Amino acid sequence: MTTTTTRHATEREARRVAEAAREAGWRKPSFAKELFLGRFRLDLVHPHPTVPEADSAEGEAFLEKLEAFLTENVDPEVIEREAQIPDEVVRGLMDLGAFGMKIDERYGGLGLSQVYYNRALMLVGSASPALAAMLSAHQSIGVPQPLKLFGTEEQKREFLPRCVKCVSAFLLTEPDVGSDPARLAASAVPSEDGKEYLLDGVKLWTTNGVVADLLVVMARVPESEGHKGGISAFVVDAASPGITVEHRNAFLGLRGIENGVTRFHQVRVPAANLIGAEGQGLKIALTTLNTGRLSLPAACVGAAKWSVRTARQWSGKRVQWGRPVGEHEAVASQLAFMAATSFGLEAMVDLASFMADEDRNDIRIEAALAKLYGSEMGWRVVDDLVQVRGGRGYETAESLRARGERPVPVEQALRDMRINRIFEGSSEIMRLLIAREAVDVHLAAAGDLVDPEAGARRKAAALVRAVGFYGRWLPTLVVGPGMVPTAYRAEFGRLGRHLRFVERRSRRLARSLFRAMARWQGRLEYRQVFLGRAVDIGAELFAMTAACVRAQMLAGTAEGKAAAALADAFCKQARLRVDELFRRMWENTDASDRTLAKDVLAGRYSWQEAGVLDLASASGLPWIAEVSPGPSTTADVHRTIP
Ligand SMILES: Cc1cc2nc3c(=O)[nH]c(=O)nc-3n(C[C@H](O)[C@H](O)[C@H](O)COP(=O)(O)OP(=O)(O)OC[C@H]3O[C@@H](n4cnc5c(N)ncnc54)[C@H](O)[C@@H]3O)c2cc1C
């Protein structure tokens, strides 16, 4: 009973912290939010936004320089073998301005748009995913982005010019804090004179942390007189006394990343380095990720495009059973999936990025959908490439080269790709975040009705609100433009039928969410698998829309017809996935799976695990290392890039 009570208390606290960090307001329209409400607002994304000509000229010129630099200076096999990016490559990229791509020109950066920043990362990722991860961790979540969004003019002037020529890192995760920042233990105690904070704690999996010059650190300020306290964000100079990088981590993929464990012991941080206000740290972290999240799916798009090219070249050449393998139907269907998905993914990520630059819409849900969908579908595409390459898909590039074959790093691509479903918000957490936004309107209208903590007066007010809202909203879900057979056809030709499908399924999605709300009420948030399917449907519908809008934008160009064919193929495949997800919303094994999982956790089936060894347990080490406070007892492995 006590354990259950404690568990509920911590769960409530986790939810409260996440809720407080959420950006609550919607100042601009949101295509995806409307989609979940059954309103297909094609006008928000069509015609496809474009880049102003001046930006485009600058962006293209930079991409050209970048491509030349990468081709000449980056050897992915060296990065993989040595598990390190050569310092000259990092320096060279700094000289090129690649560490300041998103930093405003006023502060010495290139001031590229999100679209060109993504294209640059995609290019870099096709040379070395580890290198793209370094640039992205520095600019998408490292010091430049939170300062751009929340920094004061003084902070920008002090740190942004430095960021153009240095490496920075974002330190939120701790050994006991992954998806649940409510448990954050690092502390920042204000000094009595108010001039500084004393930072203590241990941060885990700090991408770039091993070589970083500047850090963004999330730490908890205790509440005291004159201090609101709460999780807060600080810019910290990595050379400050009391900072030790205790370990450099090694991973399944991204072998070149400089990711470590960093200890802070009584580190003095000037009060002027606090970003925003005390207690705003998580909001800053989450808002940073809103657009920061777009660079990760851009890297996934790069991997998908690279996979299609490799699969095309290989499966057209490799002959087995009298035909190129790509002509055998089983492989052909993989090729079709890869090509169509690559188009759909690029359409979705590009559209979200153009929308970010255009700044007409709120794109927080679109960016989150792009992160979720890009990493999940990108993974499937690369996995198919491994299959299409057969045994060679499993062999390292070095080994292929040694036996005289083209060193295509397919197994590495799969390993490098896997982390995208985990970091910057795991897929499970992304589905929860998106679902929260999708049901936001319902919570605003009727949340108090199902809130056990709401009193009679709040419930009565909620009832009035709910009757008003649902009275207006529900009838809109019955009929819509997609019911007219010719809808969207005039502008989109045969792709119009896919947009009709999106419109109709968008209303069905909203009806399903309403039905689920009515059925489970306050318990809906625990129906994660149901909500996950709703989110996955939303992602598919957004991707389908993006694919059609992109094809329409390309109509009349040399690639116009081929783009329409790819969009058509992508939509046909996506429609099957969407209808399967709808079916499984109500026809599934969720309830029995929950029971089964409970029994698994209780050890009821542990006999089933007999016959296999558990060698790691012989180490006697715990699953999660205890963090002992105090100074470091190990050597500092921090290194400065010369
Ligand atoms: C290579 C690498 C680089 C990284 N870089 C950085 C970085 O630069 N900065 C930084 O701060 N962090 C970084 N991280 C941390 C990364 O963001 C976390 O690994 C990620 O947030 C997940 O946290 P976790 O690993 O502790 O998993 P946990 O939170 O322990 O989760 C374990 C599993 O449970 C699921 N889960 C957790 N909570 C819920 C829930 N409420 N509902 C449903 N499912 C749930 C998760 O999805 C996951 O599948 C990095 C990690 C790696 C491996």
Side-chain angles (χ1 to χ4, degrees):
M1 180 67 196
T2 323
T3 341
T4 318
T5 318
T6 321
R7 204 185 69 208
H8 285 325
T10 44
E11 203 174 330
R12 235 193 341 264
E13 175 59 6
R15 198 159 294 122
R16 195 192 60 72
V17 168
E19 196 56 32
R22 212 184 128 247
E23 221 183 312
W26 292 89
R27 285 180 296 278
K28 293 180 197 156
S30 159
F31 170 81
K33 186 167 189 269
E34 295 290 317
L35 198 63
F36 283 106
L37 282 169
R39 298 192 283 243
F40 178 47
R41 291 284 310 276
L42 185 59
D43 60 302
L44 293 177
V45 296
H46 174 69
H48 197 289
T50 49
V51 181
E53 234 162 74
D55 287 5
S56 151
E58 269 173 42
E60 295 296 336
F62 175 70
L63 288 183
E64 214 171 285
K65 276 195 279 180
L66 185 62
E67 186 173 335
F69 176 86
L70 294 168
T71 313
E72 246 168 62
N73 297 285
V74 175
D75 183 341
E77 279 175 65
V78 169
I79 297 177
E80 189 62 6
R81 193 170 50 243
E82 320 259 310
Q84 197 155 11
I85 299 165
D87 291 344
E88 324 71 87
V89 171
V90 178
R91 270 286 149 219
L93 284 171
M94 275 177 192
D95 292 342
L96 216 59
F99 278 72
M101 286 187 276
K102 273 189 90 182
I103 297 175
D104 207 288
E105 283 164 297
R106 264 187 302 163
Y107 306 109
L110 298 181
L112 290 188
S113 61
Q114 183 72 36
V115 169
Y116 275 98
Y117 172 63
N118 279 0
R119 287 190 184 159
L121 284 180
M122 191 168 79
L123 198 63
V124 176
S126 65
S128 159
L131 195 50
M134 178 184 244
L135 289 174
S136 164
H138 166 64
Q139 291 168 88
S140 301
I141 55 175
V143 175
Q145 188 67 8
L147 275 195
K148 182 177 173 178
L149 296 172
F150 295 93
T152 62
E153 190 49 44
E154 286 76 41
Q155 288 173 330
K156 288 179 189 169
R157 260 192 260 129
E158 179 174 357
F159 295 113
L160 291 182
R162 255 181 94 180
C163 286
V164 174
K165 292 278 181 185
C166 85
V167 183
S168 72
F170 170 85
L171 278 57
L172 169 65
T173 304
E174 298 175 6
D176 202 26
V177 183
S179 309
D180 176 10
R183 306 171 75 98
L184 197 107
S187 63
V189 179
S191 62
E192 273 187 13
D193 61 8
K195 287 190 179 149
E196 54 191 20
Y197 291 84
L198 271 190
L199 197 58
D200 282 276
V202 172
K203 293 290 179 181
L204 179 64
W205 297 324
T206 63
T207 302
N208 290 352
V210 179
V211 294
D213 306 283
L214 283 175
L215 313 166
V216 179
V217 184
M218 302 295 156
R220 194 185 291 278
V221 177
E223 202 181 324
S224 63
E225 209 187 314
H227 289 275
K228 183 171 169 274
I231 298 172
S232 310
F234 299 89
V235 181
V236 179
D237 196 317
S240 312
I243 300 183
T244 314
V245 179
E246 296 189 329
H247 177 71
R248 181 176 175 223
N249 304 312
F251 299 101
L252 173 72
L254 295 184
R255 282 171 49 81
I257 58 170
E258 299 282 356
N259 177 301
V261 177
T262 302
R263 177 179 291 268
F264 297 85
H265 176 64
Q266 301 277 292
V267 178
R268 292 170 180 281
V269 182
N273 288 18
L274 172 73
I275 311 176
E278 281 179 10
Q280 269 196 328
L282 277 186
K283 189 163 251 176
I284 291 170
L286 289 187
T287 313
T288 297
L289 280 171
N290 279 343
T291 48
R293 273 206 184 100
L294 283 172
S295 52
L296 186 152
C300 297
V301 170
K305 284 159 88 95
W306 179 85
S307 297
V308 175
R309 179 165 53 203
T310 309
R312 171 178 60 78
Q313 292 172 342
W314 164 255
S315 64
K317 195 150 196 67
R318 170 73 166 172
V319 176
Q320 293 287 284
W321 294 46
R323 285 202 253 167
V325 289
E327 289 181 18
H328 293 298
E329 196 185 46
V331 179
S333 82
Q334 287 163 343
L335 279 180
F337 168 75
M338 293 169 75
T341 306
S342 159
F343 181 82
L345 270 189
E346 183 167 33
M348 182 195 216
V349 177
D350 241 21
L351 178 60
S353 310
F354 274 99
M355 287 164 83
D357 287 332
E358 193 192 38
D359 206 20
R360 184 162 66 99
N361 292 301
D362 188 319
I363 59 126
R364 83 186 87 145
I365 307 185
E366 286 80 354
L369 286 172
K371 194 278 174 187
L372 171 65
Y373 194 78
S375 57
E376 289 290 333
M377 298 301 275
W379 166 256
R380 287 200 222 168
V381 169
V382 182
D383 186 47
D384 270 3
L385 170 64
V386 173
Q387 199 65 20
V388 170
R389 278 277 286 165
R392 286 167 178 83
Y394 197 68
E395 187 171 4
T396 67
E398 204 168 20
S399 173
L400 286 163
R401 182 192 289 283
R403 10 182 234 95
E405 291 197 5
R406 189 183 287 199
V408 195
V410 171
E411 57 81 37
Q412 186 198 329
L414 189 77
R415 289 187 289 103
D416 287 344
M417 190 72 179
R418 187 62 181 81
I419 187 59
N420 293 312
R421 295 168 60 201
I422 298 173
F423 65 9
E424 292 189 25
S426 67
S427 291
E428 292 74 23
I429 296 297
M430 295 313 296
R431 289 193 178 98
L432 292 188
L433 290 181
I434 298 164
R436 170 66 188 83
E437 302 303 345
V439 298
D440 189 41
V441 175
H442 302 285
L443 291 181
D448 282 349
L449 280 179
V450 295
D451 182 352
E453 285 168 24
R457 190 182 283 207
R458 266 173 62 195
K459 281 197 191 307
L463 187 62
V464 175
R465 261 197 322 271
V467 168
F469 171 72
Y470 289 115
R472 277 187 315 258
W473 179 67
L474 284 171
T476 67
L477 302 184
V478 182
V479 283
M483 292 169 82
V484 180
T486 52
Y488 311 110
R489 198 189 284 166
E491 227 176 327
F492 287 86
R494 48 202 280 264
L495 293 179
R497 70 204 158 108
H498 298 310
L499 293 175
R500 282 183 58 214
F501 176 91
V502 174
E503 196 280 330
R504 291 198 311 269
R505 292 304 182 274
S506 157
R507 279 185 286 116
R508 181 167 167 195
L509 180 58
R511 288 196 302 267
S512 305
L513 279 169
F514 176 72
R515 184 174 156 194
M517 288 274 297
R519 177 167 172 184
W520 289 304
Q521 302 183 7
R523 285 168 293 129
L524 176 59
E525 64 179 304
Y526 298 107
R527 294 287 164 263
Q528 293 189 344
V529 185
F530 174 91
L531 289 172
R533 291 186 191 110
V535 168
D536 288 348
I537 290 171
E540 295 280 6
L541 297 182
F542 176 40
M544 285 176 71
T545 310
C548 293
V549 167
R550 184 180 190 81
Q552 177 61 20
M553 174 181 71
L554 295 172
T557 66
E559 292 82 26
K561 280 211 169 107
L566 279 175
D568 186 42
F570 174 74
C571 289
K572 281 183 186 153
Q573 294 173 9
R575 286 168 75 145
L576 294 179
R577 291 192 293 265
V578 167
D579 282 343
E580 176 62 11
L581 283 163
F582 271 119
R583 193 180 64 76
R584 285 179 45 219
M585 269 183 157
W586 307 106
E587 206 179 304
N588 53 54
T589 55
D590 295 355
S592 57
D593 288 350
R594 278 196 298 277
T595 310
L596 178 63
K598 232 182 232 166
D599 288 341
V600 169
L601 287 174
R604 189 163 162 211
Y605 306 114
S606 47
W607 51 267
Q608 164 70 14
E609 296 153 17
V612 290
L613 297 175
D614 178 10
L615 296 180
S617 66
S619 70
L621 292 170
W623 285 93
I624 298 166
E626 280 279 316
V627 174
S628 50
S632 189
T633 52
T634 55
D636 190 359
V637 298
H638 181 264
R639 89 191 168 77
T640 310
I641 292 178

